[in-house]
């Protein structure tokens, strides 16, 4: 058998046209990364499809792997996106109850429907929220 007849075989290639599946910590390739790893590098998949899959916990959890050389730089935040994000976060952090405070953390609105102080009277730390402006000052 001559050297020209030898073929490089990937042991993880399923050879049926589907994506190769790696076990946890078995991918071992410097040119593949998950979405989270791409985000840490300041990249995004850029529209190309995943090239492999990595599984952990016996196949109960998995993540797609993308090629780093095809990844594109992450797009910067625009003013419109930033305004929309602030509006969405304000809805999650503002108490709809009588206090109307905006907290620095998300409130349990699905379970309690308001902040803890409005719900059962538990006092909130004054350093954990912003006092809303007085309504009579806004009307002027």
């Amino acid at each position: 058998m001559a050297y020209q007849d030898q073929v490089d075989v990937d042991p993880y290639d399923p050879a049926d046209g589907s994506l190769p599946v790696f076990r946890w910590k078995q991918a071992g390739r410097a040119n593949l990364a998950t979405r989270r790893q791409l985000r840490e590098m300041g990249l995004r998949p850029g529209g190309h499809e995943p090239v492999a899959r990595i599984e952990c916990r016996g196949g109960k959890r998995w993540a797609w792997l993308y090629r780093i050389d095809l990844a594109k730089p992450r797009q910067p935040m625009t003013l419109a996106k930033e305004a929309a994000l602030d509006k969405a976060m304000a809805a999650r952090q503002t108490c709809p109850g009588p206090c109307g405070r905006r907290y620095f953390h998300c409130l349990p609105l699905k379970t309690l429907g308001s902040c803890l102080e409005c719900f059962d009277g538990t006092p909130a730390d004054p350093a954990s929220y912003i006092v809303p402006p007085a309504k009579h000052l806004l009307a002027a």
Side-chain angles (χ1 to χ4, degrees), residues 4-140:
Q4 294 91 351
D5 297 335
Q6 294 178 354
V7 184
D8 188 21
V9 177
D10 186 0
Y12 296 104
D13 186 14
D16 61 356
S18 63
L19 296 177
V21 178
F22 299 102
R23 292 180 45 187
W24 180 248
K25 294 189 177 182
Q26 298 296 315
R29 297 197 179 182
N31 61 344
L32 298 180
T34 62
R35 281 180 155 300
R36 182 177 291 178
Q37 291 167 337
L38 287 175
R39 192 171 33 239
E40 288 173 1
M41 292 183 249
L43 301 171
R44 61 186 169 96
H48 77 276
E49 297 295 321
V51 295
R53 197 169 93 168
I54 189 165
E55 291 183 347
C56 63
R57 297 188 183 177
K60 293 180 184 174
R61 295 191 53 117
W62 50 269
W64 298 115
L65 293 172
Y66 298 91
R67 287 181 41 188
I68 296 174
D69 59 337
L70 296 178
K72 295 182 179 176
R74 187 171 41 196
Q75 294 176 336
M77 179 79 72
T78 63
L79 288 175
K81 284 183 184 179
E82 192 170 348
L85 180 63
D86 187 51
K87 185 177 177 182
M89 288 306 295
R92 297 174 68 192
Q93 295 172 338
T94 305
C95 177
C99 73
R101 299 174 182 151
R102 181 168 178 181
Y103 287 82
F104 297 121
H105 60 276
C106 294
L107 297 174
L109 298 176
K110 287 186 179 179
T111 56
L112 302 182
S114 64
C115 66
L116 213 59
E117 190 166 345
C118 291
F119 181 72
D120 64 1
T122 304
D125 181 19
S128 67
Y129 59 84
I130 300 171
V131 179
K135 292 183 181 177
H136 67 280
L137 295 175
L138 292 175

